[in-house]
Amino acid sequence: MPRSPFPSRTELTLVAAALAALSVGCPGDDDSCGPGGAPAAGITLTVGGETVTYGEFTASVNNDCTISGSGVISVSVHGSQTGGSQALTLCLPRPDLLGVEPVLLVPSRVPPLADDRAMVIDSSAALAAGCTVQKDVTMAPSGTARFVGYCDSGAHPSGYALELTGTVPLVRTCGATMDNVIGTLAGTVAVGLTP
C-alpha cells in the first residue's frame, strides 16, 4: 500500500514536540537558560597570597554605559564581597550581543567604544590587617567574561551564570602606605535579575 502524502497524527505530534524543544533552548547554549549549577558566591579575587570571594550577583538595566545610537540600554552586573560591603561591578554596553563566547574585559570609559562588551567598573576588596584594594583607573584589565545560560539578551527571568578569568590592576592601601598590585579574577557565579 503506497504511503500517504499527508503526515499522520503521530508524525505531526513528533514534529511539534521537536519544535517546542528547540524553542526552549538558549542561543549558543546546548542546555537551557539559567545559571545551572553556578554557586551564589563563586567569583574570587586573589591579591598576593590572599583571596576574597564575591557573591549575590544581580543584573539590572541601568543605562550606565549605553553606547549612543545603539538603541540598546546597557546592563550593570553587581556583586558584593562575601562578609563585606566591597563590590565587583561590570557594565555591559551591548547585552543584546552577548552569548556563550567569551568577551574581553575592558576598562570603564565614557563613552564606551562600539566593540566594548564587558567593562570593569569596580573591583574593590577589604583585605586582612585593615588593607583595602580599589581598581586602578589608570590601567586596563585583561581577561574575559563568559555568559552561560544567557537568554533573551540577559533578560530571561531565570538569570544566567557569569564566568570571569583575568587580572585587574589595583591600588592597595594599608594605613598611610599605597602601592600598585595585580588582582587575579577567577570563577563562576549565578546572576539573578533585579526587576
Side-chain angles (χ1 to χ4, degrees):
M1 177 172 181
R3 192 178 194 302
S4 168
F6 301 103
S8 70
R9 181 167 281 181
T10 301
E11 290 171 322
L12 288 174
T13 302
L14 290 173
V15 169
L19 289 174
L22 285 174
S23 68
V24 170
C26 299
D29 187 13
D30 293 333
D31 295 320
S32 61
C33 303
I43 298 294
T44 59
L45 176 70
T46 301
V47 181
E50 188 171 354
T51 298
V52 300
T53 303
Y54 299 88
E56 299 180 5
F57 277 80
T58 58
S60 58
V61 178
N62 286 351
N63 203 28
D64 291 334
C65 64
T66 296
I67 297 174
S68 179
S70 69
V72 177
I73 299 175
S74 64
V75 169
S76 295
V77 179
H78 177 82
S80 299
Q81 182 179 345
T82 303
S85 60
Q86 304 297 325
L88 179 61
T89 305
L90 303 178
C91 194
L92 315 176
R94 292 298 305 266
D96 60 316
L97 298 180
L98 298 175
V100 75
E101 293 302 316
V103 295
L104 293 177
L105 295 174
V106 298
S108 173
R109 45 189 163 215
V110 181
L113 301 180
D115 58 351
D116 285 347
R117 298 293 176 260
M119 299 173 67
V120 179
I121 305 299
D122 192 5
S123 54
S124 58
L127 304 177
C131 298
T132 60
V133 290
Q134 291 187 338
K135 184 183 77 161
D136 184 343
V137 297
T138 67
M139 304 289 286
S142 67
T144 60
R146 185 169 173 257
F147 302 85
V148 181
Y150 186 88
C151 301
D152 302 334
S153 298
H156 193 278
S158 60
Y160 50 88
L162 169 65
E163 178 184 290
L164 293 179
T165 303
T167 60
V168 286
L170 302 166
V171 176
R172 178 171 53 193
T173 304
C174 295
T177 304
M178 296 175 69
D179 63 341
N180 295 91
V181 294
I182 297 293
T184 301
L185 289 169
T188 303
V189 72
V191 179
L193 304 186
T194 300

